[in-house]
Amino acid sequence: MLFSISPKTKRSELFDREREMNELKRAVGNDRLIVLDGIVGYLAIFGYEVYKNGPDFETALEKAGVMAKGLVKKEIDDLLARSINYGYALKAVAFGMERYSQIKKYIEANFGSIHDSTLSNILNGLVKQSFLEISFSKSIKSYSISDPITRSFCVSMNLKQ
């Protein structure tokens, strides 16, 4: 099982979703089932909380959520210490500005001017660090924050000009 304490010895034992769901349903029985999907690290935190505190899934989920929010806060605080522009770009994308031009307009309307090269470097850095994802539709590049915890944190950031 994914959250078992025994080490995995074969690649086939890792992340077999169907088998894991069947094991989880068998273990939980007819009780309410909480299904997590998302960042592997968050799932590992949840698994650790279940292992440490027993099968109280709601408490484990709550504790994992608090810990995940703390990790996101620390990572974004580290980014902001390097440049506030990271925060401006993340906030723009969190509010649904997907294209470069929208992100730039949002930043300039709310925080002041930003050079094209600076914004381009910031967006590329956020993609490399997996804060942002890129997708293409009809050759138009769009940016998004796939992690809901990160997105929620970015929406609530209070950034100074």
Side-chain angles (χ1 to χ4, degrees):
M1 190 165 165
L2 182 61
F3 298 122
S4 72
I5 60 172
S6 61
K8 309 294 187 214
T9 57
K10 295 181 256 172
R11 187 169 184 82
S12 63
E13 294 176 335
L14 297 174
F15 299 105
D16 180 345
R17 184 173 174 81
E18 187 174 325
R19 190 183 81 209
E20 296 298 332
M21 290 303 295
N22 289 335
E23 285 288 321
L24 187 57
K25 286 175 186 175
R26 185 185 57 72
V28 174
N30 291 328
D31 291 341
R32 196 169 80 170
L33 180 63
I34 299 169
V35 178
L36 294 176
D37 191 16
I39 306 294
V40 173
Y42 298 163
L43 298 175
I45 293 168
F46 173 75
Y48 174 73
E49 289 296 332
V50 169
Y51 168 72
K52 186 172 85 174
N53 299 311
D56 179 356
F57 296 116
E58 288 188 35
T59 301
L61 185 61
E62 184 178 317
K63 287 182 177 184
V66 168
M67 190 176 287
K69 288 174 189 174
L71 291 171
V72 167
K73 180 185 181 328
K74 183 190 178 322
E75 288 184 17
I76 291 178
D77 285 348
D78 290 347
L79 278 176
L80 297 177
R82 293 190 348 220
S83 173
I84 192 73
N85 290 325
Y86 287 108
Y88 298 157
L90 284 168
K91 192 157 186 102
V93 176
F95 275 118
M97 309 302 132
E98 297 178 337
R99 296 194 319 240
Y100 181 94
S101 61
Q102 295 172 323
I103 295 167
K104 183 170 173 121
K105 284 179 187 173
Y106 177 89
I107 292 171
E108 291 183 337
N110 291 284
F111 305 109
S113 67
I114 187 167
H115 290 104
D116 285 336
S117 62
T118 301
L119 181 55
S120 181
N121 289 337
I122 291 294
L123 292 172
N124 288 334
L126 290 169
V127 169
K128 285 180 184 175
Q129 295 174 72
S130 299
F131 285 100
L132 297 180
E133 288 186 351
I134 296 175
S135 61
F136 291 92
S137 176
K138 298 181 183 176
S139 300
I140 298 173
K141 184 190 283 190
S142 295
Y143 296 91
S144 63
I145 301 172
S146 62
D147 175 34
I149 294 174
T150 300
R151 187 179 325 106
S152 174
F153 181 84
C154 292
V155 164
S156 68
M157 284 190 300
N158 186 15
L159 302 171
K160 298 175 183 159
Q161 293 183 356

